[in-house]
């Protein structure tokens, strides 16, 4: 009886794997450890290898104030988005300027919101600051993760509320063979992602590309990890990014 149960369990597991593959090829919803996944784009052609980069130095700034910045204070004299970028560039001059491989990613006003407890909807909102984000590109490919960006927080009249930066110095370290995008998708379905999201999500994958992963403050990283990047939308239409290692487990 026990042996029959084991054989039945193996059969069910095998059928589940086939079921998942059929759904992946049929562009249907797939149940995964990270949630519900729907592939809404074609998987790209995969090069045989990518450049590998070794970390040879660290250039990090985690906050520039002597006390905790007041991110949530209501502000009434925020600069325009164009001026905010100019103030951000000026602030970075003190820290070596904007790196050559940095690209302006987003200029976003942040708000304090008042929620109507009866309806659950936003009743009012007031601006608190402007966040200017620069992202890193290596060989024309995006660097994702907490260590792949510079963020400057700007308040009234161009005041620099805070600034964070992680920009590791790299050197070329040869070529690395990578897995095909299809294999990376299969790993994502199994939940084998670089940074697991909090809770289970309902995701539609809208784009897939190669890039690198950079860890956050205080994390030792010998190499920038090549990854397959899955750009997704959740059920609220918000952007969610998942990454799967594109090479072996040693990196």
């Amino acid at each position: 009886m026990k042996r029959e149960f084991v054989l039945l369990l193996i059969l069910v597991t095998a059928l589940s794997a086939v079921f998942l593959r059929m759904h992946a090829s049929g562009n249907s919803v797939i149940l995964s450890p990270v949630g519900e996944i729907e592939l809404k784009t074609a998987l790209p052609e995969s090069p045989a290898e990518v450049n590998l980069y070794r970390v040879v130095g660290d250039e990090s700034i985690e906050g520039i104030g002597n006390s905790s910045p007041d991110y949530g204070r209501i502000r009434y004299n925020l600069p325009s988005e164009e001026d905010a970028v100019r103030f951000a560039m000026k602030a970075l001059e003190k820290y070596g300027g904007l790196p050559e491989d940095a690209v302006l990613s987003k200029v976003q006003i942040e708000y304090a919101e008042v929620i109507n407890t009866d309806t659950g909807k936003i009743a009012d909102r007031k601006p608190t600051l402007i966040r200017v984000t620069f992202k890193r590109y290596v060989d024309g490919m995006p660097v994702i993760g907490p260590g792949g960006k510079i963020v400057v927080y700007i308040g009234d009249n161009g005041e620099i509320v805070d600034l964070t930066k992680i920009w590791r110095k790299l050197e070329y370290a040869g070529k690395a063979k990578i897995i095909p995008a299809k294999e990376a998708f299969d790993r994502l379905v199994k939940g084998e992602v670089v940074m697991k999201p909090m809770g289970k999500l309902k995701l539609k994958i809208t784009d897939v590309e190669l890039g690198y992963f950079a860890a956050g403050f205080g994390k030792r990283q010998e190499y920038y990890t090549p990854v397959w990047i899955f750009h997704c939308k959740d059920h609220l239409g918000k952007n969610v990014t998942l990454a799967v290692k594109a090479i072996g487990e040693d990196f």
Side-chain angles (χ1 to χ4, degrees), residues 24 27 39-45 181-182 185 205-209 228-230:
N27 199 34
L39 183 61
K40 302 292 287 184
T41 185
L43 294 172
E45 293 292 326
K182 175 61 172 65
F185 176 73
I205 300 172
T206 57
D207 191 27
V208 184
E209 63 179 334
W228 280 106
I229 303 168
F230 293 83

Side-chain angles (χ1 to χ4, degrees), residues 69-189:
D70 189 355
Y71 294 110
R73 179 166 62 86
I74 305 301
R75 294 178 169 89
Y76 297 95
N77 295 297
L78 294 178
S80 66
E81 292 187 1
E82 182 179 353
D83 285 342
V85 174
R86 182 168 55 83
F87 287 127
M89 298 279 285
K90 183 69 176 176
L92 286 168
E93 289 179 3
K94 184 178 179 180
Y95 307 99
L98 187 69
E100 291 183 358
D101 51 356
V103 176
L104 178 64
S105 172
K106 185 183 294 185
V107 183
Q108 184 176 20
I109 299 175
E110 297 194 349
Y111 296 90
E113 297 177 341
V114 177
I115 306 296
N116 185 318
T117 55
D118 293 329
T119 63
K121 296 181 179 180
I122 298 173
D124 192 15
R125 63 177 190 170
K126 301 290 185 182
T128 57
L129 48 78
I130 296 183
R131 182 174 60 187
V132 180
T133 303
F134 300 93
K135 299 196 75 173
R136 189 174 194 174
Y137 283 77
V138 174
D139 291 340
M141 297 190 297
V143 177
I144 65 166
K149 60 189 175 183
I150 298 169
V151 185
V152 184
Y153 300 88
I154 299 171
D156 285 339
N157 305 311
E159 173 202 6
I160 304 302
V161 176
D162 203 8
L163 186 154
T164 62
K165 173 185 178 183
I166 309 176
W167 221 260
R168 295 177 176 89
K169 297 176 183 178
L170 307 175
E171 70 175 12
Y172 175 72
K175 299 285 187 178
K177 293 182 179 180
I178 64 169
I179 63 174
K182 175 61 172 65
E183 184 176 338
F185 176 73
D186 290 341
R187 291 185 181 184
L188 184 148
V189 168

